[in-house]
Amino acid sequence: MTSENKLISQKKPAFPVKKKLANYLNRHKRTIQIPIFYDDLLRFQGAISVYDKHDNDTLWVRVYYNEFEREEIDLSLKQIYNILHSNGSNASIQHLNIDAVDFCTFGNSKPFRVKVRNILNDNYTYFYVKKTDASRIYGLELEDILSPYNLNFLVYEDTLIEEHISGIPGDVFINEYLDSCIDIEKAQIAKEFVKFNERCMIRLLGDMRSYNYVVVPTHDFENVVYKIRPIDFDQQCYEGKFKVYYPQFFKENLKMVQLVADKLTSSSIEQYQLEERSIVAKRILGSRARLGRLIKAMKSDTISISKNIAQLKAEIFNFTGDINFRDSDGMGEVLESALNFVRRNYEDVSMKTIIQQQQKLH
């Protein structure tokens, strides 16, 4: 595992949601009418910078609205929270408070982050309001289907609502927590990075620099178990360089790559890669109908540019030797070929194992 700079050369455009994707989202209950749009939140009157605990600029600004709009905006955001996390009724709205609305000045999606607090117990959570982008929506759906985690999001016209994914931002974890982990934890983190790296590559999720994923610690008996989850899905099936879909090649992840080299042998790395491919293959087989509908929509869609499609299918063909990649037409077909490649390899190995076991019995 190595690192390389400047894998992503230009800003990715946002792609509109077309009819087949919209029909898929309707079928799977991802669309519902909401009381406020992304553009409504852009009408803020002013903003102040948000700093972290070390007084570093987070590149988020806290926005405020004039008094005539604030009450309506707060109510609408509370209603969105209830739609996203509950049955959409207004029964509990009086217990909710909108503590902050932050706007991100960095990145492609320019999201709003809304902090919602329950005034009865001071528990709080976040959700995000963004402009719709077809490639991001495909990324969210693929994460929900193919990863160990479920994702909750809603689409209405040109507005995307996403739930918050809790965890320690990867760059913060690497800079502030990784060195203090004990050896057994570092070995476990190295294992998870290998599996995360493999999962992103298989489903063609790019740009997993350290600030685009979170590390999630969970206490398990006397140990702490770490998982790694992506939080940014803008670069789903867009870039032409195959390396973009490997987190290992970003310089921001160099310490993670070094950790893998220090803590894992080559055979262990291969074992964890095989485990992740097998798990993803099982999810593909277990979600054939839903995944098939999503891929069908993607195959009819435009979520990249011709140059990137030509480059990516050529690079994956050179890597795998599978002619399906060479003959793919569009990013939807490239992804379909990738998932079929993983599924076929899993089924072939499984069938060989069954035959060998039967031969031993006889």
Side-chain angles (χ1 to χ4, degrees), residues 302-345:
T302 301
I303 54 172
S304 188
I305 57 178
S306 299
K307 181 182 73 171
N308 288 355
I309 296 167
Q311 180 180 3
L312 184 61
K313 69 182 192 178
E315 289 190 12
I316 304 181
F317 169 68
N318 291 335
F319 180 72
T320 63
D322 186 335
I323 61 171
N324 289 299
F325 290 105
R326 186 192 64 192
D327 298 337
S328 295
D329 181 19
M331 280 298 189
E333 289 192 14
V334 174
L335 180 63
E336 182 180 47
S337 297
L339 299 181
N340 285 340
F341 183 82
V342 171
R343 176 187 55 78
R344 284 197 309 271
N345 285 343

mmCIF file of all heavy atoms in Angstrom, residues 302-345:
data_model
loop_
_atom_site.group_PDB
_atom_site.id
_atom_site.type_symbol
_atom_site.label_atom_id
_atom_site.label_comp_id
_atom_site.label_asym_id
_atom_site.label_seq_id
_atom_site.Cartn_x
_atom_site.Cartn_y
_atom_site.Cartn_z
ATOM 1 N N THR A 302 -26.328 9.841 -16.680
ATOM 2 C CA THR A 302 -25.027 10.462 -16.913
ATOM 3 C C THR A 302 -24.499 10.965 -15.584
ATOM 4 O O THR A 302 -25.052 11.916 -15.015
ATOM 5 C CB THR A 302 -25.145 11.634 -17.902
ATOM 6 O OG1 THR A 302 -25.668 11.162 -19.135
ATOM 7 C CG2 THR A 302 -23.779 12.275 -18.141
ATOM 8 N N ILE A 303 -23.433 10.327 -15.079
ATOM 9 C CA ILE A 303 -22.860 10.751 -13.797
ATOM 10 C C ILE A 303 -21.346 10.954 -13.902
ATOM 11 O O ILE A 303 -20.662 11.047 -12.884
ATOM 12 C CB ILE A 303 -23.189 9.752 -12.670
ATOM 13 C CG1 ILE A 303 -22.768 8.332 -13.045
ATOM 14 C CG2 ILE A 303 -24.665 9.805 -12.318
ATOM 15 C CD1 ILE A 303 -22.893 7.351 -11.897
ATOM 16 N N SER A 304 -20.841 11.001 -15.124
ATOM 17 C CA SER A 304 -19.430 11.280 -15.333
ATOM 18 C C SER A 304 -19.262 11.851 -16.733
ATOM 19 O O SER A 304 -20.236 12.100 -17.446
ATOM 20 C CB SER A 304 -18.585 10.014 -15.148
ATOM 21 O OG SER A 304 -17.196 10.325 -15.181
ATOM 22 N N ILE A 305 -18.009 12.066 -17.143
ATOM 23 C CA ILE A 305 -17.722 12.576 -18.474
ATOM 24 C C ILE A 305 -17.046 11.486 -19.292
ATOM 25 O O ILE A 305 -16.459 10.547 -18.743
ATOM 26 C CB ILE A 305 -16.842 13.842 -18.417
ATOM 27 C CG1 ILE A 305 -15.531 13.558 -17.671
ATOM 28 C CG2 ILE A 305 -17.606 14.982 -17.758
ATOM 29 C CD1 ILE A 305 -14.588 14.749 -17.627
ATOM 30 N N SER A 306 -17.118 11.608 -20.611
ATOM 31 C CA SER A 306 -16.645 10.546 -21.513
ATOM 32 C C SER A 306 -15.180 10.195 -21.270
ATOM 33 O O SER A 306 -14.799 9.021 -21.273
ATOM 34 C CB SER A 306 -16.840 10.972 -22.971
ATOM 35 O OG SER A 306 -18.202 11.186 -23.249
ATOM 36 N N LYS A 307 -14.343 11.204 -21.050
ATOM 37 C CA LYS A 307 -12.912 10.954 -20.833
ATOM 38 C C LYS A 307 -12.681 10.076 -19.606
ATOM 39 O O LYS A 307 -11.875 9.144 -19.635
ATOM 40 C CB LYS A 307 -12.184 12.294 -20.667
ATOM 41 C CG LYS A 307 -10.676 12.164 -20.447
ATOM 42 C CD LYS A 307 -10.022 13.526 -20.238
ATOM 43 C CE LYS A 307 -10.362 14.091 -18.872
ATOM 44 N NZ LYS A 307 -9.574 15.322 -18.553
ATOM 45 N N ASN A 308 -13.396 10.366 -18.522
ATOM 46 C CA ASN A 308 -13.234 9.590 -17.297
ATOM 47 C C ASN A 308 -13.722 8.156 -17.479
ATOM 48 O O ASN A 308 -13.105 7.207 -16.976
ATOM 49 C CB ASN A 308 -14.003 10.248 -16.152
ATOM 50 C CG ASN A 308 -13.346 11.524 -15.671
ATOM 51 O OD1 ASN A 308 -12.258 11.882 -16.120
ATOM 52 N ND2 ASN A 308 -14.000 12.231 -14.773
ATOM 53 N N ILE A 309 -14.837 7.988 -18.178
ATOM 54 C CA ILE A 309 -15.377 6.642 -18.405
ATOM 55 C C ILE A 309 -14.384 5.800 -19.207
ATOM 56 O O ILE A 309 -14.105 4.651 -18.852
ATOM 57 C CB ILE A 309 -16.733 6.729 -19.134
ATOM 58 C CG1 ILE A 309 -17.771 7.441 -18.264
ATOM 59 C CG2 ILE A 309 -17.235 5.333 -19.511
ATOM 60 C CD1 ILE A 309 -19.024 7.854 -19.006
ATOM 61 N N ALA A 310 -13.847 6.378 -20.276
ATOM 62 C CA ALA A 310 -12.892 5.658 -21.123
ATOM 63 C C ALA A 310 -11.646 5.277 -20.331
ATOM 64 O O ALA A 310 -11.137 4.144 -20.446
ATOM 65 C CB ALA A 310 -12.520 6.514 -22.331
ATOM 66 N N GLN A 311 -11.143 6.203 -19.518
ATOM 67 C CA GLN A 311 -9.937 5.928 -18.741
ATOM 68 C C GLN A 311 -10.175 4.844 -17.695
ATOM 69 O O GLN A 311 -9.374 3.920 -17.554
ATOM 70 C CB GLN A 311 -9.443 7.203 -18.056
ATOM 71 C CG GLN A 311 -8.175 6.991 -17.224
ATOM 72 C CD GLN A 311 -7.702 8.266 -16.549
ATOM 73 O OE1 GLN A 311 -8.337 9.322 -16.648
ATOM 74 N NE2 GLN A 311 -6.578 8.190 -15.858
ATOM 75 N N LEU A 312 -11.297 4.945 -16.977
ATOM 76 C CA LEU A 312 -11.544 4.004 -15.890
ATOM 77 C C LEU A 312 -11.760 2.590 -16.411
ATOM 78 O O LEU A 312 -11.189 1.628 -15.877
ATOM 79 C CB LEU A 312 -12.747 4.452 -15.059
ATOM 80 C CG LEU A 312 -13.043 3.578 -13.833
ATOM 81 C CD1 LEU A 312 -11.867 3.581 -12.866
ATOM 82 C CD2 LEU A 312 -14.308 4.034 -13.127
ATOM 83 N N LYS A 313 -12.565 2.428 -17.446
ATOM 84 C CA LYS A 313 -12.824 1.074 -17.928
ATOM 85 C C LYS A 313 -11.559 0.458 -18.515
ATOM 86 O O LYS A 313 -11.348 -0.760 -18.378
ATOM 87 C CB LYS A 313 -13.983 1.057 -18.916
ATOM 88 C CG LYS A 313 -13.738 1.707 -20.266
ATOM 89 C CD LYS A 313 -15.019 1.630 -21.104
ATOM 90 C CE LYS A 313 -14.761 2.001 -22.552
ATOM 91 N NZ LYS A 313 -15.983 1.879 -23.387
ATOM 92 N N ALA A 314 -10.679 1.273 -19.103
ATOM 93 C CA ALA A 314 -9.409 0.747 -19.622
ATOM 94 C C ALA A 314 -8.493 0.325 -18.485
ATOM 95 O O ALA A 314 -7.856 -0.742 -18.546
ATOM 96 C CB ALA A 314 -8.732 1.800 -20.491
ATOM 97 N N GLU A 315 -8.420 1.144 -17.434
ATOM 98 C CA GLU A 315 -7.533 0.819 -16.311
ATOM 99 C C GLU A 315 -8.010 -0.427 -15.561
ATOM 100 O O GLU A 315 -7.197 -1.266 -15.150
ATOM 101 C CB GLU A 315 -7.426 2.012 -15.361
ATOM 102 C CG GLU A 315 -6.614 3.172 -15.947
ATOM 103 C CD GLU A 315 -6.307 4.250 -14.918
ATOM 104 O OE1 GLU A 315 -6.518 4.013 -13.705
ATOM 105 O OE2 GLU A 315 -5.839 5.331 -15.324
ATOM 106 N N ILE A 316 -9.333 -0.558 -15.370
ATOM 107 C CA ILE A 316 -9.824 -1.753 -14.665
ATOM 108 C C ILE A 316 -9.674 -2.989 -15.557
ATOM 109 O O ILE A 316 -9.379 -4.085 -15.062
ATOM 110 C CB ILE A 316 -11.283 -1.575 -14.207
ATOM 111 C CG1 ILE A 316 -11.434 -0.337 -13.326
ATOM 112 C CG2 ILE A 316 -11.745 -2.815 -13.434
ATOM 113 C CD1 ILE A 316 -12.843 -0.101 -12.813
ATOM 114 N N PHE A 317 -9.861 -2.835 -16.867
ATOM 115 C CA PHE A 317 -9.639 -3.966 -17.779
ATOM 116 C C PHE A 317 -8.189 -4.428 -17.703
ATOM 117 O O PHE A 317 -7.907 -5.639 -17.628
ATOM 118 C CB PHE A 317 -9.991 -3.580 -19.217
ATOM 119 C CG PHE A 317 -9.554 -4.594 -20.229
ATOM 120 C CD1 PHE A 317 -10.150 -5.853 -20.302
ATOM 121 C CD2 PHE A 317 -8.515 -4.313 -21.111
ATOM 122 C CE1 PHE A 317 -9.735 -6.798 -21.223
ATOM 123 C CE2 PHE A 317 -8.091 -5.253 -22.036
ATOM 124 C CZ PHE A 317 -8.699 -6.497 -22.094
ATOM 125 N N ASN A 318 -7.244 -3.496 -17.689
ATOM 126 C CA ASN A 318 -5.830 -3.865 -17.583
ATOM 127 C C ASN A 318 -5.528 -4.543 -16.257
ATOM 128 O O ASN A 318 -4.652 -5.412 -16.170
ATOM 129 C CB ASN A 318 -4.950 -2.621 -17.738
ATOM 130 C CG ASN A 318 -4.974 -2.058 -19.150
ATOM 131 O OD1 ASN A 318 -5.237 -2.785 -20.108
ATOM 132 N ND2 ASN A 318 -4.704 -0.770 -19.290
ATOM 133 N N PHE A 319 -6.266 -4.164 -15.211
ATOM 134 C CA PHE A 319 -6.046 -4.733 -13.874
ATOM 135 C C PHE A 319 -6.646 -6.131 -13.746
ATOM 136 O O PHE A 319 -6.050 -7.020 -13.130
ATOM 137 C CB PHE A 319 -6.650 -3.788 -12.837
ATOM 138 C CG PHE A 319 -6.499 -4.247 -11.409
ATOM 139 C CD1 PHE A 319 -5.276 -4.215 -10.778
ATOM 140 C CD2 PHE A 319 -7.605 -4.705 -10.690
ATOM 141 C CE1 PHE A 319 -5.139 -4.645 -9.465
ATOM 142 C CE2 PHE A 319 -7.489 -5.120 -9.383
ATOM 143 C CZ PHE A 319 -6.247 -5.090 -8.765
ATOM 144 N N THR A 320 -7.830 -6.334 -14.338
ATOM 145 C CA THR A 320 -8.556 -7.601 -14.143
ATOM 146 C C THR A 320 -8.487 -8.547 -15.342
ATOM 147 O O THR A 320 -8.631 -9.756 -15.182
ATOM 148 C CB THR A 320 -10.042 -7.331 -13.857
ATOM 149 O OG1 THR A 320 -10.629 -6.692 -15.006
ATOM 150 C CG2 THR A 320 -10.212 -6.443 -12.638
ATOM 151 N N GLY A 321 -8.314 -7.980 -16.539
ATOM 152 C CA GLY A 321 -8.381 -8.803 -17.754
ATOM 153 C C GLY A 321 -9.791 -9.199 -18.143
ATOM 154 O O GLY A 321 -9.990 -9.984 -19.075
ATOM 155 N N ASP A 322 -10.798 -8.639 -17.468
ATOM 156 C CA ASP A 322 -12.201 -8.968 -17.741
ATOM 157 C C ASP A 322 -12.709 -8.071 -18.878
ATOM 158 O O ASP A 322 -12.775 -6.849 -18.735
ATOM 159 C CB ASP A 322 -13.030 -8.741 -16.473
ATOM 160 C CG ASP A 322 -14.477 -9.200 -16.604
ATOM 161 O OD1 ASP A 322 -14.982 -9.255 -17.742
ATOM 162 O OD2 ASP A 322 -15.106 -9.482 -15.572
ATOM 163 N N ILE A 323 -13.106 -8.672 -19.993
ATOM 164 C CA ILE A 323 -13.510 -7.897 -21.169
ATOM 165 C C ILE A 323 -14.801 -7.117 -20.935
ATOM 166 O O ILE A 323 -15.115 -6.192 -21.682
ATOM 167 C CB ILE A 323 -13.669 -8.787 -22.416
ATOM 168 C CG1 ILE A 323 -14.762 -9.841 -22.188
ATOM 169 C CG2 ILE A 323 -12.348 -9.420 -22.795
ATOM 170 C CD1 ILE A 323 -15.108 -10.612 -23.452
ATOM 171 N N ASN A 324 -15.552 -7.474 -19.899
ATOM 172 C CA ASN A 324 -16.782 -6.729 -19.603
ATOM 173 C C ASN A 324 -16.484 -5.274 -19.281
ATOM 174 O O ASN A 324 -17.300 -4.390 -19.562
ATOM 175 C CB ASN A 324 -17.541 -7.388 -18.447
ATOM 176 C CG ASN A 324 -18.159 -8.713 -18.855
ATOM 177 O OD1 ASN A 324 -18.991 -8.770 -19.746
ATOM 178 N ND2 ASN A 324 -17.736 -9.785 -18.212
ATOM 179 N N PHE A 325 -15.328 -5.026 -18.670
ATOM 180 C CA PHE A 325 -14.953 -3.642 -18.386
ATOM 181 C C PHE A 325 -14.619 -2.909 -19.681
ATOM 182 O O PHE A 325 -15.049 -1.775 -19.885
ATOM 183 C CB PHE A 325 -13.756 -3.603 -17.430
ATOM 184 C CG PHE A 325 -14.090 -4.049 -16.030
ATOM 185 C CD1 PHE A 325 -13.699 -5.295 -15.567
ATOM 186 C CD2 PHE A 325 -14.804 -3.217 -15.184
ATOM 187 C CE1 PHE A 325 -14.008 -5.696 -14.281
ATOM 188 C CE2 PHE A 325 -15.123 -3.618 -13.890
ATOM 189 C CZ PHE A 325 -14.717 -4.863 -13.443
ATOM 190 N N ARG A 326 -13.859 -3.548 -20.530
ATOM 191 C CA ARG A 326 -13.482 -2.923 -21.800
ATOM 192 C C ARG A 326 -14.706 -2.571 -22.639
ATOM 193 O O ARG A 326 -14.741 -1.544 -23.324
ATOM 194 C CB ARG A 326 -12.572 -3.878 -22.579
ATOM 195 C CG ARG A 326 -11.991 -3.297 -23.871
ATOM 196 C CD ARG A 326 -11.359 -4.393 -24.697
ATOM 197 N NE ARG A 326 -12.371 -5.365 -25.146
ATOM 198 C CZ ARG A 326 -12.070 -6.543 -25.682
ATOM 199 N NH1 ARG A 326 -10.804 -6.916 -25.805
ATOM 200 N NH2 ARG A 326 -13.030 -7.358 -26.075
ATOM 201 N N ASP A 327 -15.737 -3.411 -22.571
ATOM 202 C CA ASP A 327 -16.930 -3.223 -23.395
ATOM 203 C C ASP A 327 -18.021 -2.413 -22.699
ATOM 204 O O ASP A 327 -19.118 -2.252 -23.247
ATOM 205 C CB ASP A 327 -17.499 -4.588 -23.811
ATOM 206 C CG ASP A 327 -16.514 -5.389 -24.658
ATOM 207 O OD1 ASP A 327 -15.624 -4.761 -25.272
ATOM 208 O OD2 ASP A 327 -16.619 -6.628 -24.687
ATOM 209 N N SER A 328 -17.759 -1.916 -21.502
ATOM 210 C CA SER A 328 -18.769 -1.157 -20.763
ATOM 211 C C SER A 328 -19.051 0.174 -21.443
ATOM 212 O O SER A 328 -18.159 0.807 -22.006
ATOM 213 C CB SER A 328 -18.310 -0.898 -19.325
ATOM 214 O OG SER A 328 -18.200 -2.105 -18.597
ATOM 215 N N ASP A 329 -20.301 0.593 -21.358
ATOM 216 C CA ASP A 329 -20.728 1.856 -21.956
ATOM 217 C C ASP A 329 -21.358 2.707 -20.863
ATOM 218 O O ASP A 329 -22.537 2.580 -20.555
ATOM 219 C CB ASP A 329 -21.730 1.586 -23.090
ATOM 220 C CG ASP A 329 -22.186 2.867 -23.769
ATOM 221 O OD1 ASP A 329 -21.485 3.883 -23.623
ATOM 222 O OD2 ASP A 329 -23.244 2.846 -24.423
ATOM 223 N N GLY A 330 -20.570 3.571 -20.247
ATOM 224 C CA GLY A 330 -21.073 4.412 -19.171
ATOM 225 C C GLY A 330 -20.664 3.878 -17.802
ATOM 226 O O GLY A 330 -20.329 2.703 -17.635
ATOM 227 N N MET A 331 -20.715 4.770 -16.810
ATOM 228 C CA MET A 331 -20.291 4.405 -15.456
ATOM 229 C C MET A 331 -21.202 3.363 -14.827
ATOM 230 O O MET A 331 -20.759 2.555 -14.010
ATOM 231 C CB MET A 331 -20.225 5.645 -14.570
ATOM 232 C CG MET A 331 -18.958 6.467 -14.748
ATOM 233 S SD MET A 331 -17.461 5.536 -14.316
ATOM 234 C CE MET A 331 -16.239 6.851 -14.383
ATOM 235 N N GLY A 332 -22.482 3.368 -15.182
ATOM 236 C CA GLY A 332 -23.383 2.351 -14.651
ATOM 237 C C GLY A 332 -22.939 0.956 -15.049
ATOM 238 O O GLY A 332 -22.952 0.036 -14.223
ATOM 239 N N GLU A 333 -22.537 0.783 -16.302
ATOM 240 C CA GLU A 333 -22.076 -0.526 -16.763
ATOM 241 C C GLU A 333 -20.723 -0.878 -16.173
ATOM 242 O O GLU A 333 -20.440 -2.058 -15.915
ATOM 243 C CB GLU A 333 -22.029 -0.564 -18.293
ATOM 244 C CG GLU A 333 -23.404 -0.588 -18.934
ATOM 245 C CD GLU A 333 -23.355 -0.927 -20.420
ATOM 246 O OE1 GLU A 333 -22.305 -1.389 -20.898
ATOM 247 O OE2 GLU A 333 -24.385 -0.721 -21.093
ATOM 248 N N VAL A 334 -19.858 0.121 -15.962
ATOM 249 C CA VAL A 334 -18.568 -0.152 -15.313
ATOM 250 C C VAL A 334 -18.800 -0.689 -13.905
ATOM 251 O O VAL A 334 -18.192 -1.691 -13.491
ATOM 252 C CB VAL A 334 -17.686 1.115 -15.268
ATOM 253 C CG1 VAL A 334 -16.414 0.847 -14.461
ATOM 254 C CG2 VAL A 334 -17.324 1.567 -16.674
ATOM 255 N N LEU A 335 -19.700 -0.039 -13.158
ATOM 256 C CA LEU A 335 -19.997 -0.510 -11.802
ATOM 257 C C LEU A 335 -20.653 -1.883 -11.838
ATOM 258 O O LEU A 335 -20.314 -2.758 -11.024
ATOM 259 C CB LEU A 335 -20.900 0.483 -11.079
ATOM 260 C CG LEU A 335 -21.279 0.074 -9.653
ATOM 261 C CD1 LEU A 335 -20.046 -0.012 -8.756
ATOM 262 C CD2 LEU A 335 -22.302 1.024 -9.055
ATOM 263 N N GLU A 336 -21.580 -2.096 -12.752
ATOM 264 C CA GLU A 336 -22.224 -3.402 -12.884
ATOM 265 C C GLU A 336 -21.181 -4.481 -13.153
ATOM 266 O O GLU A 336 -21.228 -5.569 -12.546
ATOM 267 C CB GLU A 336 -23.249 -3.378 -14.010
ATOM 268 C CG GLU A 336 -23.994 -4.698 -14.186
ATOM 269 C CD GLU A 336 -25.002 -4.633 -15.312
ATOM 270 O OE1 GLU A 336 -24.653 -4.144 -16.403
ATOM 271 O OE2 GLU A 336 -26.162 -5.066 -15.100
ATOM 272 N N SER A 337 -20.214 -4.203 -14.017
ATOM 273 C CA SER A 337 -19.149 -5.168 -14.309
ATOM 274 C C SER A 337 -18.310 -5.439 -13.074
ATOM 275 O O SER A 337 -17.908 -6.581 -12.820
ATOM 276 C CB SER A 337 -18.265 -4.635 -15.449
ATOM 277 O OG SER A 337 -18.998 -4.497 -16.643
ATOM 278 N N ALA A 338 -18.049 -4.394 -12.279
ATOM 279 C CA ALA A 338 -17.256 -4.560 -11.057
ATOM 280 C C ALA A 338 -17.976 -5.458 -10.053
ATOM 281 O O ALA A 338 -17.377 -6.377 -9.466
ATOM 282 C CB ALA A 338 -16.957 -3.197 -10.441
ATOM 283 N N LEU A 339 -19.262 -5.207 -9.846
ATOM 284 C CA LEU A 339 -20.015 -6.012 -8.887
ATOM 285 C C LEU A 339 -20.193 -7.438 -9.384
ATOM 286 O O LEU A 339 -20.122 -8.392 -8.593
ATOM 287 C CB LEU A 339 -21.383 -5.354 -8.625
ATOM 288 C CG LEU A 339 -21.339 -3.944 -8.020
ATOM 289 C CD1 LEU A 339 -22.748 -3.423 -7.787
ATOM 290 C CD2 LEU A 339 -20.538 -3.914 -6.734
ATOM 291 N N ASN A 340 -20.401 -7.607 -10.693
ATOM 292 C CA ASN A 340 -20.511 -8.957 -11.257
ATOM 293 C C ASN A 340 -19.191 -9.707 -11.143
ATOM 294 O O ASN A 340 -19.176 -10.922 -10.917
ATOM 295 C CB ASN A 340 -20.942 -8.890 -12.724
ATOM 296 C CG ASN A 340 -22.415 -8.553 -12.880
ATOM 297 O OD1 ASN A 340 -23.205 -8.723 -11.946
ATOM 298 N ND2 ASN A 340 -22.800 -8.066 -14.045
ATOM 299 N N PHE A 341 -18.090 -9.007 -11.305
ATOM 300 C CA PHE A 341 -16.765 -9.627 -11.183
ATOM 301 C C PHE A 341 -16.564 -10.187 -9.773
ATOM 302 O O PHE A 341 -16.115 -11.314 -9.595
ATOM 303 C CB PHE A 341 -15.691 -8.584 -11.503
ATOM 304 C CG PHE A 341 -14.285 -9.106 -11.475
ATOM 305 C CD1 PHE A 341 -13.747 -9.772 -12.568
ATOM 306 C CD2 PHE A 341 -13.487 -8.934 -10.348
ATOM 307 C CE1 PHE A 341 -12.438 -10.249 -12.549
ATOM 308 C CE2 PHE A 341 -12.186 -9.409 -10.307
ATOM 309 C CZ PHE A 341 -11.655 -10.073 -11.410
ATOM 310 N N VAL A 342 -16.927 -9.388 -8.773
ATOM 311 C CA VAL A 342 -16.798 -9.828 -7.378
ATOM 312 C C VAL A 342 -17.744 -10.992 -7.092
ATOM 313 O O VAL A 342 -17.360 -11.987 -6.469
ATOM 314 C CB VAL A 342 -17.091 -8.650 -6.423
ATOM 315 C CG1 VAL A 342 -17.172 -9.125 -4.972
ATOM 316 C CG2 VAL A 342 -16.019 -7.573 -6.564
ATOM 317 N N ARG A 343 -18.979 -10.887 -7.579
ATOM 318 C CA ARG A 343 -19.964 -11.943 -7.343
ATOM 319 C C ARG A 343 -19.538 -13.264 -8.002
ATOM 320 O O ARG A 343 -19.619 -14.324 -7.376
ATOM 321 C CB ARG A 343 -21.327 -11.511 -7.875
ATOM 322 C CG ARG A 343 -22.416 -12.587 -7.776
ATOM 323 C CD ARG A 343 -23.697 -12.154 -8.463
ATOM 324 N NE ARG A 343 -23.494 -11.763 -9.851
ATOM 325 C CZ ARG A 343 -23.344 -12.637 -10.855
ATOM 326 N NH1 ARG A 343 -23.340 -13.932 -10.632
ATOM 327 N NH2 ARG A 343 -23.189 -12.192 -12.090
ATOM 328 N N ARG A 344 -19.089 -13.201 -9.255
ATOM 329 C CA ARG A 344 -18.699 -14.428 -9.969
ATOM 330 C C ARG A 344 -17.521 -15.115 -9.290
ATOM 331 O O ARG A 344 -17.511 -16.344 -9.140
ATOM 332 C CB ARG A 344 -18.324 -14.108 -11.421
ATOM 333 C CG ARG A 344 -19.505 -13.830 -12.338
ATOM 334 C CD ARG A 344 -19.087 -13.949 -13.798
ATOM 335 N NE ARG A 344 -17.883 -13.161 -14.090
ATOM 336 C CZ ARG A 344 -17.900 -11.896 -14.469
ATOM 337 N NH1 ARG A 344 -19.054 -11.247 -14.594
ATOM 338 N NH2 ARG A 344 -16.776 -11.251 -14.720
ATOM 339 N N ASN A 345 -16.541 -14.345 -8.876
ATOM 340 C CA ASN A 345 -15.390 -14.932 -8.193
ATOM 341 C C ASN A 345 -15.807 -15.610 -6.901
ATOM 342 O O ASN A 345 -15.317 -16.697 -6.568
ATOM 343 C CB ASN A 345 -14.334 -13.861 -7.906
ATOM 344 C CG ASN A 345 -13.560 -13.452 -9.149
ATOM 345 O OD1 ASN A 345 -13.586 -14.160 -10.158
ATOM 346 N ND2 ASN A 345 -12.881 -12.327 -9.094
#
